[in-house]
């Protein structure tokens, strides 16, 4: 029987970016079917955006991001990020790719890399269209699709599914109704996939 895992993530989440390749490698190794849910942080469940955290915690968060990025072989660019637009619309584009049965992981990787490694302003329509087109998609068509009510409805539905499941932060992985929050929890997910779920 194919193993199915729900993947709750966001394009604007640095932790989703850092852990993406490790997660997809794990999924491939276990022949898992990934059921993607592009969402935002679920504040009602206790999720906290970094901008709302005390400065001491933000400083530690930044150090931890850099440590994990180095460990995962990822580059993070924190220069001139204050001027960047909200990356949420890039998530709508990924939802459109999912719905059209395109390679949404390829698009996700391209958009996250542009945003986090190159500080590209993927909140701007022309920027994300160019990024999508550069990796083989019809950027204009995906952008048009992303703006439809059907895609916006899926975005809202994803958030409701995540809220009901108890998700709060990104990324979160759900396997057999067990939640694993954060890319640093992948070793626990791997143990579960191997039949070694830790009883709590």
């Amino acid at each position: 029987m194919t193993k199915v895992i729900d993947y709750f993530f966001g394009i604007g989440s640095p932790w989703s970016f850092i852990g993406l390749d490790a997660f997809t490698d794990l999924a491939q190794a276990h022949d898992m079917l990934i059921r993607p849910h592009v969402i935002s942080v679920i504040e009602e469940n206790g999720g906290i955006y970094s901008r709302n955290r005390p400065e001491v915690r933000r400083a530690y968060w930044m150090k931890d991001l850099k440590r994990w990025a180095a460990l995962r072989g990822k580059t993070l660019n924190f220069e001139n990020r204050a001027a960047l637009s909200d990356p949420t619309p890039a998530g709508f584009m990924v939802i459109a790719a999912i719905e059209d049965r395109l390679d949404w992981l390829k698009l996700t990787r391209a958009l996250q890399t542009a945003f986090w490694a190159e500080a590209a302003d993927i909140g701007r329509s022309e920027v994300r269209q160019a990024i999508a087109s550069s990796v083989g998609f019809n950027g204009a068509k995906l952008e048009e699709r992303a703006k439809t009510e059907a895609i916006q409805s899926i975005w809202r539905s994803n958030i409701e599914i995540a809220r009901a499941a108890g998700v709060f932060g990104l990324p979160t992985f759900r396997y057999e109704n067990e939640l694993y929050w954060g890319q640093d929890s992948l070793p626990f997910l791997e143990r579960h996939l191997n039949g070694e779920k830790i009883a709590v």
Side-chain angles (χ1 to χ4, degrees), residues 3 32 37 41 46 66-67 85 90 129 142 147 158 164 198:
K3 298 174 180 177
M32 289 193 305
H37 305 273
V41 168
K66 292 177 180 178
R67 289 175 183 144
S85 309
Q129 286 186 56
L142 273 178
K147 293 177 180 178
N158 284 350
I198 298 175

Side-chain angles (χ1 to χ4, degrees), residues 6-195:
D6 289 293
Y7 177 43
F8 299 93
F9 70 104
I11 302 302
S13 162
W15 296 113
S16 294
F17 167 60
I18 289 171
L20 180 63
D21 293 338
F23 170 57
T24 54
D25 287 348
L26 181 61
Q28 185 174 20
H30 287 268
D31 195 26
M32 289 193 305
L33 173 64
I34 301 173
R35 191 157 49 199
H37 305 273
V38 183
I39 64 169
S40 60
V41 168
I42 309 297
E43 293 182 283
E44 297 94 324
N45 284 352
I48 304 174
Y49 285 100
S50 62
R51 62 179 176 268
N52 296 329
R53 294 172 182 163
E55 187 55 40
V56 169
R57 188 173 175 188
R58 275 183 54 79
Y60 182 84
W61 173 81
M62 188 74 71
K63 287 182 180 180
D64 214 27
L65 276 174
K66 292 177 180 178
R67 289 175 183 144
W68 273 106
L71 190 66
R72 298 290 195 200
K74 296 294 184 77
T75 300
L76 292 175
N77 182 347
F78 288 107
E79 300 300 319
N80 303 315
R81 301 199 67 85
L84 298 184
S85 309
D86 180 3
T88 300
F92 303 153
M93 180 179 273
V94 172
I95 294 173
I98 294 167
E99 291 303 298
D100 289 350
R101 300 183 182 278
L102 302 176
D103 189 347
W104 62 272
L105 277 169
K106 182 179 181 180
L107 180 60
T108 294
R109 188 173 288 108
L111 289 168
Q112 286 184 332
T113 299
F115 187 64
W116 287 109
E118 303 160 11
D121 194 355
I122 63 172
R124 293 170 53 198
S125 176
E126 65 273 22
V127 173
R128 57 181 176 270
Q129 286 186 56
I131 292 167
S133 296
S134 74
V135 291
F137 298 94
N138 184 326
K141 184 177 180 180
L142 273 178
E143 178 69 2
E144 182 179 353
R145 180 97 158 87
K147 293 177 180 178
T148 64
E149 174 55 29
I151 297 302
Q152 299 298 308
S153 178
I154 291 169
W155 163 257
R156 294 190 295 270
S157 176
N158 284 350
I159 291 175
E160 287 306 313
I161 290 169
R163 182 182 291 113
V167 173
F168 49 91
L170 311 177
T172 294
F173 315 94
R174 181 173 64 177
Y175 178 60
E176 294 183 334
N177 289 321
E178 189 76 23
L179 295 180
Y180 296 93
W181 169 47
Q183 63 85 36
D184 53 337
S185 70
L186 286 173
F188 298 117
L189 172 59
E190 183 173 20
R191 290 186 64 173
H192 189 166
L193 290 166
N194 288 329

